[in-house]
Amino acid sequence: MDRLTSWERRTSVALLAIGVVFLLSWAIPVLVPNLPTAADTALWYLQVITWALFTADYLIRVTLAPRRLRFLVRNIPSLLVVLLPLLRPLWLLRALLLLHVIADRIRLPLRLRAVVYVSGTALFLCMVGSIAVLDVERDNGNIKTIGDAIWWSLTTMTTVGYGDRFPITAEGRLVASGLMIAGIALAGVVTAAIASWFVERFERTAALDRRTEAGLAQVAAELTETRKALADLAHTHNMLRDELATLTARLNS
């Protein structure tokens, strides 16, 4: 195990906790806009601290990476999250690892675990998207409440798009673009899972039919052999009976 993998394993739980703290410090001022100034300032400093911790983690991972250029190329979204404050909520995607751990630890079939993971991902993205769009659209657009934001997120992720609620700011449209892409991707995953389930059922039924046909063919072959053996026994019996009759006739004469 290289140093980078070891570091990521040791810090995964801590980063998850930091992500939850960041989520709360980011969401509370959006959901409760009339917070006291002291509380609002404290939450802002908490966001800065968590962002600094994520930045430190990224720099440490760059330092520990055996191939730094390759690491940078493969982790461009992480770099953008560090550099652009608008994308900082994307660090919360690390929380999806918790869903993966839960799905692995509960005793469920693989397909049900995938359903748990995909459902959790959809709910998480809907929640984050709702808070993000409310944060940037409340003062300028027609998304004024968390209810409006959740409704808009659901219609956007499901690609329904009624048009009664829509973002008008550049930041809101960026959030909308992310939700659209995520919604299409999740719909593709769900469709693939359903198609896989049907294909598996058909293959299982076909395999059962093949085994049944093979069993019936084997039984038919065994019956044919049995009939042949019985015919041979009957022929032998007739020959012995004829010989016995011949011997009896000779003895009587």
Side-chain angles (χ1 to χ4, degrees), residues 75-113:
N75 292 272
I76 290 178
S78 297
L79 178 61
L80 293 176
V81 168
V82 170
L83 296 178
L84 302 178
L86 177 63
L87 299 181
R88 279 183 294 169
L90 293 181
W91 279 109
L92 298 173
L93 293 177
R94 289 178 178 270
L96 296 178
L97 295 175
L98 179 61
L99 297 174
H100 181 69
V101 172
I102 294 174
D104 280 342
R105 290 185 178 180
I106 56 179
R107 301 295 182 177
L108 290 176
L110 179 60
R111 185 171 290 105
L112 288 181
R113 281 185 285 168

Side-chain angles (χ1 to χ4, degrees), residues 25 29 36-49:
S25 63
T37 303
D40 189 67
T41 303
L43 291 173
W44 183 84
Y45 278 115
L46 195 57
Q47 291 182 47
V48 173
I49 292 172

Side-chain angles (χ1 to χ4, degrees), residues 116-132:
V116 171
Y117 190 70
V118 171
S119 301
T121 302
L123 291 174
F124 179 84
L125 291 176
C126 181
M127 177 186 65
V128 172
S130 300
I131 297 173

